[in-house]
Structure formats: C-alpha cells, structure tokens
Amino acid sequence: MPYEVQGVVALSKGAPVSLETILIPDPGPGEAIVDVQACGVCHTDLHYREGGINDEFPFLLGHEAAGVVSAVGEGVENVAVGDFVILNWRAVCGKCRACAKGKPWYCFDTHNATQKMTLADGTPLSPALGIGAFAEKTLVHSGQCTKVDPAASPTAAGLLGCGVMAGVGAAINTGGVGRGDTVAVFGCGGVGDAAIAGARLAGAAKVIAVDLDDRKLEWATGMGATHTVNSKETDPVAAIKELTGGFGVDVAIDAVGHPAVYQQAFDARDLAGTVVLVGVPNPTMEITFPLIELFGRGGALKSSWYGDCLPSRDFPMLIDLYLQGRFDLDAFVSETIAIGDVEAAFEKMHHGDVLRSVVVF
C-alpha cells in the first residue's frame, strides 16, 4: 500500500514551491524507503525550481539528507530497517568502465529508484538528484543509502549528502591537499567553507579565503582560514602572491564557477600547482587562455564532481571525525526550519544570509 506524506514540490518553472501530498510506493527490488529526519536547502534545489537543470517538472525537491531506513525491497543487503543513513546521489554501479578502472567516484551508470513517487492525482514526480528528500519519507535505490554512526546529529550529518562533501572532497580528493600545503579558496559560501575545512583537515599550513563579502570571510575564518582577502577591495592574486612569498598557492579552488574567478585561481597558483573547479558555471560561460600559459605553468586543471567522493568510504570517515570533535559539521547549520519554510530559505540563501538552512522533520 502506498505511503501518503507531505513534500515540497516545484510544479512549474520559476513558481514558488508548494507543499503537496506525495504518494510513495512500497520499495521494489533494490530499493529502500527512508524516513527523512533532516534535509539541507541546497542551491541545486533552487536550480531545479528555476529550470536550470532540466524541464522535467514537477520536481520533488531536496537531496542533502539523513534519516532512518523504514523499509527495503527484495535483494537489498547493504542496509536494513532501522539503519541511520546519509543519502547520496551517486550510487555506484560497480560495473561500468570507471568502476572497472578502480575509480568508482567517476561512475558513469549510477543508480536511482526504478519506481516513481507521484502527486495524489498520479502525476509522476522527478526527484531532485534522484532523491527528493523534502518529504517525510522518500524512495531511493538502496545504494543511495550510506550507513553511518547513529550518534551523529541528522541535522549536521545530512549536509554530507551534497554541499559539504563537494567542498571537502574538492580539497582532499580532487586537489590532493597535503600537510604543509598552501591553499586559496575563492567563494566562501557553503561549498567554499567546506573546502576550507577540508584543507584544514588535510594539514594545509596556510588557507587563504577570498570573497567579496566580509561577513562570509568571517565565517571562513571560523572554518579554518588562516588569512582572508576581500576581492572587492584588493587584487586577490597580488594578495595571495604576497602571502606566499611571491610564488602562489599549491592548490587554488574555485567554489564560484565564474570565468573571472577561475582566471584569478589560475593566476594565483604556484608553478606546477593545481586549480580545482567545484563551483558550477552557467552553461553559456566561456574562458580563454593563451596556450603557452597552460603549457608554461604546468600543474593540473581539474573539475571536482561531488568532491570525487566515494560515499561508502568518505561519509563514515567524516562522521567519525565529526563525533571526535575534529570536524565541525554543526558550524554549517545556520538555522533549522519546518518543511513549509523552504521558499523563505531560498530567499535567505539568495541574499547570502545563511550557510545552510536545514529542514527538520
């Protein structure tokens, strides 16, 4: 018998989201139902509402979530009823060419639930990133459930499901930040601050935060930045060079996704340094480099998808660090809200008033 719950839905492009009755089928083979306990309001959800991902409306929004497995379908072995899990949107297949190469974080055939959740009238819903967690329950593929220590706060743990993992992974997994490295992070929203925290976890000696907003730079300091640069008032490349003996940083992370910012990150790295793009650019954006600059400066230009994470490896490890007091996930939670407050949370996010608003059920 289908479950009937309340969920946040984007019915049409650009329209305010609404709270709707959602029907969730019993889990089929390989599927699980999760009772959602908390779900962060991520900018990707706003992209869905604005039609920036695709036009497969209506969307059941929400994807940055943690909760408890309440039912599983046939053949599910990785989780059981009662497990506390973080939801992920890259459930690896284990069979594609990336997985076969031992690089499952690049999996080209990730899993989602086969069945559809629907509106009360039977209209199929497109769940955001295959999850749809702005709801009291959601249906996912069991591989999208990563079991972690239930001692963790759901409000904090769920943030690993997207933004925090993207930033931490951009520093540690993609950027390969190591002990004693110098790092610059451009853009100090949720993902950028997570990259700063990741660089700190990895043992970076110097972490330079760059943003236009002094308030965000203050947040970045709390996450572990050793130096800050307001790029509205100061040339960030010159400032970073001055802070690194004239050389530039080992790893420069663009958490904005804008050509001008990427150019700054490129210019601010040391010879043979690494640039990591984790901010998502607009599809129309372009950038041009003199080819000799790409050749002459060496190093690596990388894109970071989901922090190049492997949820089964990275989520439990980061939760352990959180519980040990070595990784302050709680610092990313600006406020907790009710399920009916998502539209207002989008406005706060748009104005840069919060790192994360988190819906608590």
Side-chain angles (χ1 to χ4, degrees), residues 241-256:
K241 291 287 183 71
E242 183 177 351
L243 289 168
T244 54
F247 299 116
V249 291
D250 298 303
V251 181
I253 299 172
D254 174 3
V256 178

Side-chain angles (χ1 to χ4, degrees), residues 104-186:
W105 48 89
Y106 292 139
C107 180
F108 301 128
D109 191 22
T110 54
H111 293 306
N112 292 310
T114 301
Q115 299 183 89
K116 286 287 188 180
M117 296 179 279
T118 70
L119 293 173
D121 64 3
T123 302
L125 289 162
S126 299
L129 292 177
I131 293 177
F134 283 153
E136 298 158 317
K137 293 177 182 284
T138 192
L139 175 75
V140 294
H141 189 279
S142 64
Q144 294 179 274
C145 301
T146 304
K147 183 179 177 181
V148 297
D149 192 325
S153 161
T155 307
L159 301 185
L160 288 179
C162 189
V164 171
M165 187 67 253
V168 170
I172 295 176
N173 296 334
T174 314
V177 174
R179 294 185 299 276
D181 280 351
T182 54
V183 179
V185 177
F186 294 77

Side-chain angles (χ1 to χ4, degrees), residues 25-92:
D26 288 321
E31 296 175 341
I33 289 178
V34 175
D35 291 348
V36 180
Q37 294 179 321
C39 184
V41 181
C42 177
H43 206 278
T44 301
D45 293 304
L46 184 56
H47 281 319
Y48 272 106
R49 194 200 73 175
E50 296 302 305
I53 305 293
N54 57 52
D55 60 357
E56 297 172 5
F57 290 90
F59 292 110
L60 175 58
L61 301 181
H63 60 278
E64 202 174 65
V68 174
V69 176
S70 59
V72 296
E74 181 183 350
V76 173
E77 297 180 349
N78 64 305
V79 290
V81 172
D83 283 348
F84 177 61
V85 298
I86 299 172
L87 299 181
N88 75 79
W89 47 268
R90 289 189 63 80
V92 302

Side-chain angles (χ1 to χ4, degrees), residues 18-358:
S18 56
L19 200 57
E20 304 287 342
T21 298
I22 308 300
L23 300 181
I24 301 175
D26 288 321
E31 296 175 341
I33 289 178
V34 175
D35 291 348
V36 180
Q37 294 179 321
C39 184
V41 181
C42 177
H43 206 278
T44 301
D45 293 304
L46 184 56
H47 281 319
Y48 272 106
R49 194 200 73 175
E50 296 302 305
I53 305 293
N54 57 52
D55 60 357
E56 297 172 5
F57 290 90
F59 292 110
L60 175 58
L61 301 181
H63 60 278
E64 202 174 65
V68 174
V69 176
S70 59
V72 296
E74 181 183 350
V76 173
E77 297 180 349
N78 64 305
V79 290
V81 172
D83 283 348
F84 177 61
V85 298
I86 299 172
L87 299 181
N88 75 79
W89 47 268
R90 289 189 63 80
V92 302
C93 72
K95 299 176 181 179
C96 72
R97 60 194 186 280
C99 289
K101 291 177 182 177
K103 298 180 179 180
W105 48 89
Y106 292 139
C107 180
F108 301 128
D109 191 22
T110 54
H111 293 306
N112 292 310
T114 301
Q115 299 183 89
K116 286 287 188 180
M117 296 179 279
T118 70
L119 293 173
D121 64 3
T123 302
L125 289 162
S126 299
L129 292 177
I131 293 177
F134 283 153
E136 298 158 317
K137 293 177 182 284
T138 192
L139 175 75
V140 294
H141 189 279
S142 64
Q144 294 179 274
C145 301
T146 304
K147 183 179 177 181
V148 297
D149 192 325
S153 161
T155 307
L159 301 185
L160 288 179
C162 189
V164 171
M165 187 67 253
V168 170
I172 295 176
N173 296 334
T174 314
V177 174
R179 294 185 299 276
D181 280 351
T182 54
V183 179
V185 177
F186 294 77
C188 299
V191 173
D193 278 356
I196 289 167
R200 181 182 181 184
L201 273 176
K206 191 170 290 186
V207 183
I208 305 165
V210 182
D211 203 282
L212 299 166
D213 186 337
D214 284 331
R215 177 180 48 178
K216 290 186 177 181
L217 292 173
E218 185 177 345
W219 295 345
T221 300
M223 294 296 180
T226 59
H227 300 78
T228 61
V229 177
N230 186 318
S231 55
K232 185 166 61 176
E233 302 170 354
T234 306
D235 177 355
V237 176
I240 290 167
K241 291 287 183 71
E242 183 177 351
L243 289 168
T244 54
F247 299 116
V249 291
D250 298 303
V251 181
I253 299 172
D254 174 3
V256 178
H258 188 281
V261 177
Y262 191 86
Q263 180 73 61
Q264 291 171 348
F266 180 86
D267 292 339
R269 68 179 178 132
D270 196 358
L271 287 172
T274 298
V275 178
V276 176
L277 176 62
V278 65
V280 182
N282 181 302
T284 64
M285 290 176 175
E286 297 182 352
I287 190 166
T288 302
F289 287 112
L291 192 57
I292 190 64
E293 281 291 294
L294 294 177
F295 174 78
R297 296 183 67 84
L301 309 181
K302 296 183 175 183
S303 297
S304 186
W305 302 342
Y306 204 5
D308 288 342
C309 81
L310 187 58
S312 60
R313 174 195 66 194
D314 294 338
F315 289 5
M317 176 267 292
L318 290 170
I319 289 296
D320 285 346
L321 291 174
Y322 165 63
L323 293 173
Q324 293 165 19
R326 298 165 61 191
F327 180 40
D328 190 5
L329 272 172
D330 294 314
F332 291 90
V333 181
S334 301
E335 62 173 1
T336 56
I337 61 174
I339 191 173
D341 298 328
V342 170
E343 186 66 33
F346 282 149
E347 282 299 310
K348 293 177 184 177
M349 180 174 60
H350 179 70
H351 292 294
D353 295 332
V354 293
L355 277 179
R356 271 296 185 273
S357 301
V358 180

